[in-house]
Amino acid sequence: MNKQKATNKRYGVLLLIFISVVVNYMDRTNISVAAAAISEDLSLNSVQMGLIFSAFGWTYSILQIPGGMAVDVVKTRVLYPFILTAWSLATLVQGFVSSLAALIGCRMAIGVFEAPSYPCNNKIVTSWFPENERASAIAVYTSGQFIGLAFLMPVLVGIQEMFGWRGLFIISGIIGIVWAIIWYIFYRDPQDHPSINKAELDHISGEEHKNQPTADKDKKIQLSLSNLKIAFGHKKLWGIYIGQFCLGGTLIFFLTWFPSYLVEYRGLDFIKSGFLASIPFLAAFFGVLVSGFTSDFLVRKGIAKDIARKAPVISGMLLSMAIVGANFTDDTFWVIVFLSVAFFGNGLASIAWVFVSLIAPKQHVGLIGGCFNFIGGLSAVIVPIVIGLLVGGGDFKPALYFIAALALIGCSSYLFLVGKVQQINVD
């Protein structure tokens, strides 16, 4: 009797997540493309624009924990298209407002509804991929943020050139709403997918999967103080939380201050800086793919998780410290080389989400994911402000030292706080 060949429906699900991440980051960053036009059209100064930039981070970080809780109790097929539609509507509305308060409100609304997105992504990967494939899956969908930022920027600029900054927001919002409909049509949990076969279900989670639907139906998550104590009462979890904040610090630098660094502090013209700015994002894209596939390869070869999972993150954060090299050269080529090495390292470390599914108690993956992304999201609020203070005197060197120091702290966090990679048992 021939063994049934497993279907590969999980890769289609991974494509859905990848595109969702691209849409997610399109709606986070289109404000940076429109910033100059908005500032001129609405007569907003740099301080007011700074408030608009940071407004997303306020709500996004604060609502990570409630968002993670929502992921634990609401079916993914319902939750994901709902939040996608909601943040896309907020994006679209930006095209019709004409005041500082309204723009801040829209950015805060986008942060509210994007908050559960990454805990959702992690839950989907946890349910659709076996443990020895998760780092690769996380690497693929995480790469969507870097690919989006590298290649969507010229597209967004082109849309604004044709339709103005208002048209940019309206078109971005429409794209997200259409994608939410597509998501709802095609996504199913593994046990509900109409064309997955038993061989793939067994591949995903073996014999354990047979009882999963019943377990899911019977499981009741109590959103209690005791659960929050679990989320914040373990050294291992604080290790990955702190590491994610430090990892986010490097990313936020590239999302916010990097273009200004090239133009205002390195004297590059806008067009040239736009081209050069894409190079570190491509480096990060390759870094995250190398990390994920290498980590899963090591797991399949029987290498201990402490090496297979932690080595890419630790080595990536060490590479991120290369950013300080830009302080010691005036050659644009070498500036981009150092920054690209640093962002490649950030990409290597970006599979850190795998530790949520490896360490968190099974019944609290969504909550722990929310806490993890909450601490990481705080970097979007704190790091841009700190950099602004450090560069106030006209010298950007202290800011690059600050980014390197964050990378060192993150590396130390994984070495000394996370310790042995094993699931926390709260039974």
Side-chain angles (χ1 to χ4, degrees), residues 108-162:
M108 291 177 68
I110 294 170
V112 167
F113 293 110
E114 285 198 6
S117 59
Y118 263 71
C120 246
N121 294 339
N122 190 62
K123 183 177 180 180
I124 293 167
V125 165
T126 300
S127 63
W128 267 98
F129 286 82
E131 194 278 323
N132 65 353
E133 294 181 4
R134 285 179 199 161
S136 299
I138 290 171
V140 169
Y141 80 67
T142 303
S143 72
Q145 68 192 45
F146 301 119
I147 283 292
L149 294 171
F151 293 109
L152 273 184
M153 203 63 71
V155 175
L156 296 177
V157 170
I159 292 173
Q160 179 170 293
E161 285 291 316
M162 289 188 287

Side-chain angles (χ1 to χ4, degrees), residues 56-67 111 115 370 373-374 377-378 381:
F56 170 88
W58 304 342
T59 50
Y60 182 78
S61 57
I62 290 172
L63 291 176
Q64 282 302 304
I65 296 174
N373 222 26
F374 163 65
L378 287 177
V381 178

Side-chain angles (χ1 to χ4, degrees), residues 297-317:
F297 172 79
L298 293 176
V299 169
R300 288 193 293 270
K301 290 295 183 181
I303 304 299
K305 293 178 185 178
D306 292 306
I307 297 174
R309 297 311 195 194
K310 289 171 69 174
V313 176
I314 292 171
S315 60
M317 288 186 172

Side-chain angles (χ1 to χ4, degrees), residues 412-426:
S412 300
S413 180
Y414 272 93
L415 282 172
F416 303 114
L417 293 181
V418 174
K420 185 175 179 60
V421 178
Q422 59 186 14
Q423 192 165 57
I424 294 171
N425 188 357
V426 295

Side-chain angles (χ1 to χ4, degrees), residues 36-112:
I38 292 174
S39 179
E40 181 179 355
D41 193 17
L42 303 183
S43 300
L44 302 176
N45 60 37
S46 58
V47 174
Q48 292 170 320
M49 289 304 300
L51 288 172
I52 293 171
F53 286 141
S54 64
F56 170 88
W58 304 342
T59 50
Y60 182 78
S61 57
I62 290 172
L63 291 176
Q64 282 302 304
I65 296 174
M69 290 177 171
V71 170
D72 280 333
V73 297
V74 181
K75 284 183 69 68
T76 306
R77 186 174 179 237
V78 175
L79 180 62
Y80 216 134
F82 170 76
I83 62 174
L84 241 171
T85 300
W87 91 57
S88 298
L89 283 172
T91 298
L92 187 152
V93 169
Q94 287 175 122
F96 296 95
V97 302
S98 298
S99 71
L100 173 65
L103 280 170
I104 288 176
C106 287
R107 297 303 296 176
M108 291 177 68
I110 294 170
V112 167

Side-chain angles (χ1 to χ4, degrees), residues 251-328:
L251 176 61
I252 290 302
F253 163 73
F254 281 96
L255 293 182
T256 57
W257 281 98
F258 181 42
S260 297
Y261 170 68
L262 293 180
V263 174
E264 296 179 22
Y265 296 89
R266 287 295 178 176
L268 300 180
D269 62 76
F270 185 77
I271 295 176
K272 186 176 182 181
S273 69
F275 168 73
L276 293 176
S278 68
I279 297 175
F281 286 106
L282 290 175
F285 165 70
F286 287 112
V288 73
L289 291 182
V290 168
S291 178
F293 287 103
T294 300
S295 181
D296 278 348
F297 172 79
L298 293 176
V299 169
R300 288 193 293 270
K301 290 295 183 181
I303 304 299
K305 293 178 185 178
D306 292 306
I307 297 174
R309 297 311 195 194
K310 289 171 69 174
V313 176
I314 292 171
S315 60
M317 288 186 172
L318 289 174
L319 283 174
S320 291
M321 295 176 64
I323 199 169
V324 298
N327 284 341
F328 300 96

Side-chain angles (χ1 to χ4, degrees), residues 168-410:
L168 171 62
F169 289 132
I170 292 169
I171 292 172
S172 296
I174 291 172
I175 291 171
I177 292 169
V178 171
W179 181 247
I181 296 170
I182 294 172
W183 171 275
Y184 183 78
I185 292 172
F186 287 100
Y187 180 77
R188 298 289 189 282
D189 290 329
Q191 64 270 18
D192 299 326
H193 199 286
S195 55
I196 192 172
N197 65 8
K198 183 178 181 299
E200 185 173 9
L201 288 174
D202 289 343
H203 175 74
I204 291 170
S205 50
E207 292 301 310
E208 177 184 329
H209 197 94
K210 293 179 179 178
N211 297 321
Q212 188 64 39
T214 302
D216 284 345
K217 290 177 183 177
D218 293 341
K219 181 178 63 177
K220 294 182 179 179
I221 302 297
Q222 299 296 324
L223 307 183
S224 65
L225 182 61
S226 62
N227 288 346
L228 290 179
K229 288 181 179 178
I230 292 170
F232 291 104
H234 292 269
K235 184 176 73 171
K236 288 182 184 297
L237 294 178
W238 273 108
I240 64 174
Y241 296 161
I242 294 170
Q244 188 68 1
F245 177 90
C246 296
L247 185 69
T250 305
L251 176 61
I252 290 302
F253 163 73
F254 281 96
L255 293 182
T256 57
W257 281 98
F258 181 42
S260 297
Y261 170 68
L262 293 180
V263 174
E264 296 179 22
Y265 296 89
R266 287 295 178 176
L268 300 180
D269 62 76
F270 185 77
I271 295 176
K272 186 176 182 181
S273 69
F275 168 73
L276 293 176
S278 68
I279 297 175
F281 286 106
L282 290 175
F285 165 70
F286 287 112
V288 73
L289 291 182
V290 168
S291 178
F293 287 103
T294 300
S295 181
D296 278 348
F297 172 79
L298 293 176
V299 169
R300 288 193 293 270
K301 290 295 183 181
I303 304 299
K305 293 178 185 178
D306 292 306
I307 297 174
R309 297 311 195 194
K310 289 171 69 174
V313 176
I314 292 171
S315 60
M317 288 186 172
L318 289 174
L319 283 174
S320 291
M321 295 176 64
I323 199 169
V324 298
N327 284 341
F328 300 96
T329 180
D330 293 322
D331 189 321
T332 300
F333 171 81
W334 284 107
V335 168
I336 297 301
V337 166
F338 285 122
L339 293 175
S340 296
V341 170
F343 214 20
F344 176 83
N346 187 264
L348 277 179
S350 291
I351 63 161
W353 265 102
V354 75
F355 291 97
V356 174
S357 60
L358 292 176
I359 294 176
K362 288 182 179 180
Q363 64 271 40
H364 299 295
V365 170
L367 172 61
I368 302 304
C371 297
F372 177 79
N373 222 26
F374 163 65
I375 303 295
L378 287 177
S379 63
V381 178
I382 297 171
V383 171
I385 296 173
V386 172
I387 292 178
L389 294 172
L390 291 174
V391 304
D395 184 2
F396 215 94
K397 290 181 179 179
L400 298 189
Y401 285 122
F402 169 64
I403 297 299
L406 284 179
L408 180 59
I409 293 170

